[in-house]
Amino acid sequence: MDTQNVSEAHIEGICLVDNEQCLKLEKAAIKIQSWWRGNMVRWTLLHAALRAWVIQCWWRSIQAKMLEQRRRLALRLYTCQEWAVVKVQAQVRMWQARRRFLQAHQAACIIQSHWRWHVSQTRGLIQGRYEVRAGRLELNIEILMT
């Protein structure tokens, strides 16, 4: 008897073979069905796990890219702030240097003018005085050399 006829006979409730053989065939069919269902469940679970794994890998790569973008943005912001600080410090130092230079320049000018006056008074350049009297100019000049 082939399995097609046995299954049809079993469906109709007619058992063409003895009861014991019918039970064995039923058990074998149940085993095959459970094996097939188990394979299908395992296949479904495997594919679901693989799909979940693919989604997790994709999500982790997206998170890594976002983290890298945030890191680069933070680094760019930090470098901009650092450059701003450096520029401000350079401007302040330049202003201080200019101020010190101008103070030194002014002090040098004052010292030079006082020194020139002192030298002119002590070295004996031309000294003199003049007066205008009744349309005439009287001029007294003394030349001193030291």
Side-chain angles (χ1 to χ4, degrees):
M1 238 184 178
D2 64 343
T3 54
Q4 181 79 22
N5 290 337
V6 170
S7 63
E8 288 174 5
H10 186 60
I11 290 172
E12 295 173 6
I14 306 168
C15 192
L16 302 175
V17 287
D18 63 355
N19 212 8
E20 201 173 295
Q21 229 179 357
C22 192
L23 287 173
K24 284 182 183 178
L25 285 175
E26 253 184 64
K27 285 182 181 178
I30 289 172
K31 279 188 178 182
I32 291 171
Q33 287 172 351
S34 66
W35 172 82
W36 179 253
R37 284 188 192 116
N39 280 343
M40 291 304 291
V41 167
R42 283 189 291 278
W43 183 85
T44 304
L45 289 175
L46 175 67
H47 281 271
L50 287 175
R51 289 180 183 124
W53 180 69
V54 167
I55 290 170
Q56 288 170 352
C57 288
W58 170 79
W59 180 246
R60 286 185 191 116
S61 70
I62 292 297
Q63 281 183 323
K65 287 178 185 175
M66 288 172 39
L67 182 66
E68 180 66 20
Q69 284 177 347
R70 276 184 274 170
R71 188 188 67 78
R72 284 185 181 173
L73 182 63
L75 184 62
R76 204 174 298 139
L77 179 64
Y78 174 75
T79 54
C80 285
Q81 289 174 345
E82 284 298 309
W83 272 109
V85 167
V86 167
K87 285 181 181 180
V88 167
Q89 287 174 345
Q91 290 293 323
V92 168
R93 287 184 186 124
M94 187 171 54
W95 174 75
Q96 289 173 339
R98 282 182 180 162
R99 198 179 85 215
R100 283 191 301 267
F101 172 77
L102 288 177
Q103 286 174 346
H105 183 263
Q106 187 178 14
C109 288
I110 290 171
I111 291 170
Q112 285 174 353
S113 70
H114 285 287
W115 179 253
R116 287 180 185 140
W117 179 83
H118 175 70
V119 167
S120 71
Q121 293 298 316
T122 58
R123 276 234 176 132
L125 294 176
I126 299 174
Q127 291 183 355
R129 9 170 240 191
Y130 66 91
E131 292 180 29
V132 178
R133 291 186 184 171
R136 268 183 43 189
L137 176 65
E138 284 188 24
L139 185 60
N140 291 330
I141 298 177
E142 293 179 19
I143 299 176
L144 301 172
M145 299 297 268
T146 56

